[in-house]
């Protein structure tokens, strides 16, 4: 987790994949882009116990500000339709999107051509 908590120039970049980086790969799906550039976004963070329920702490996918689905849905999103990919770790995701997203959020920002 240390890479997500560093401060200073470049710290935020570890949590963002830019349009230029997406285009440079020439891959087909967003899942491929993330797997190649920041596979740690896809990591299962183990079991959490929130309010007595045991849940896997995995990131949830958002398209813009709307929940889109589980990580596997990234396989069906063409990379050329996404302008930016942002990763929010558990605490950041819970603060921004709600406590149920403690496993993190992968937010896709669509391209507007």
């Amino acid at each position: 987790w240390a890479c997500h908590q560093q401060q200073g120039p470049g710290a935020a970049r570890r949590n963002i994949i830019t349009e230029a980086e997406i285009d440079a790969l020439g891959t087909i799906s967003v899942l491929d882009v993330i797997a190649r550039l920041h596979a740690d976004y896809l990591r299962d963070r183990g079991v959490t116990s929130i309010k007595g329920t045991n849940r896997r702490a995995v990131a949830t996918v958002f398209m813009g500000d709307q929940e889109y689905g589980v990580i596997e849905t990234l396989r069906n999103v063409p990379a050329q339709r996404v302008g930016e990919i942002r990763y929010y770790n558990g605490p950041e995701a819970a603060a921004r999107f709600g406590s149920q997203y403690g496993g993190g959020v992968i937010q896709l920002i669509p391209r507007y051509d």
Side-chain angles (χ1 to χ4, degrees):
W1 292 90
C3 70
H4 297 295
Q5 295 177 1
Q6 293 178 3
Q7 299 299 313
R13 289 254 320 121
R14 290 179 183 18
N15 295 340
I16 296 174
I17 299 173
T18 67
E19 186 172 332
E21 291 171 312
I22 293 167
D23 290 345
L25 287 178
T27 58
I28 296 171
S29 77
V30 171
L31 184 61
D32 295 333
V33 171
I34 295 171
R36 287 183 174 186
L37 295 179
H38 287 286
D40 56 311
Y41 294 5
L42 306 172
R43 188 169 55 93
D44 184 330
R45 282 140 182 93
V47 176
T48 61
S49 179
I50 300 172
K51 296 184 182 179
T53 62
N54 290 327
R55 296 179 20 183
R56 301 298 304 176
V58 295
T60 301
V61 178
F62 271 65
M63 183 68 75
D65 288 325
Q66 297 293 315
E67 185 175 338
Y68 189 74
V70 296
I71 287 176
E72 194 59 32
T73 61
L74 294 170
R75 186 177 309 281
N76 302 322
V77 179
Q80 68 272 17
R81 294 189 59 208
V82 176
E84 188 172 276
I85 302 165
R86 297 178 185 171
Y87 174 75
Y88 297 89
N89 66 26
E92 293 167 340
R96 180 175 169 95
F97 299 97
S99 62
Q100 68 270 37
Y101 300 108
V105 164
I106 298 171
Q107 183 183 37
L108 308 178
I109 307 300
R111 289 187 197 209
Y112 297 103
D113 295 325

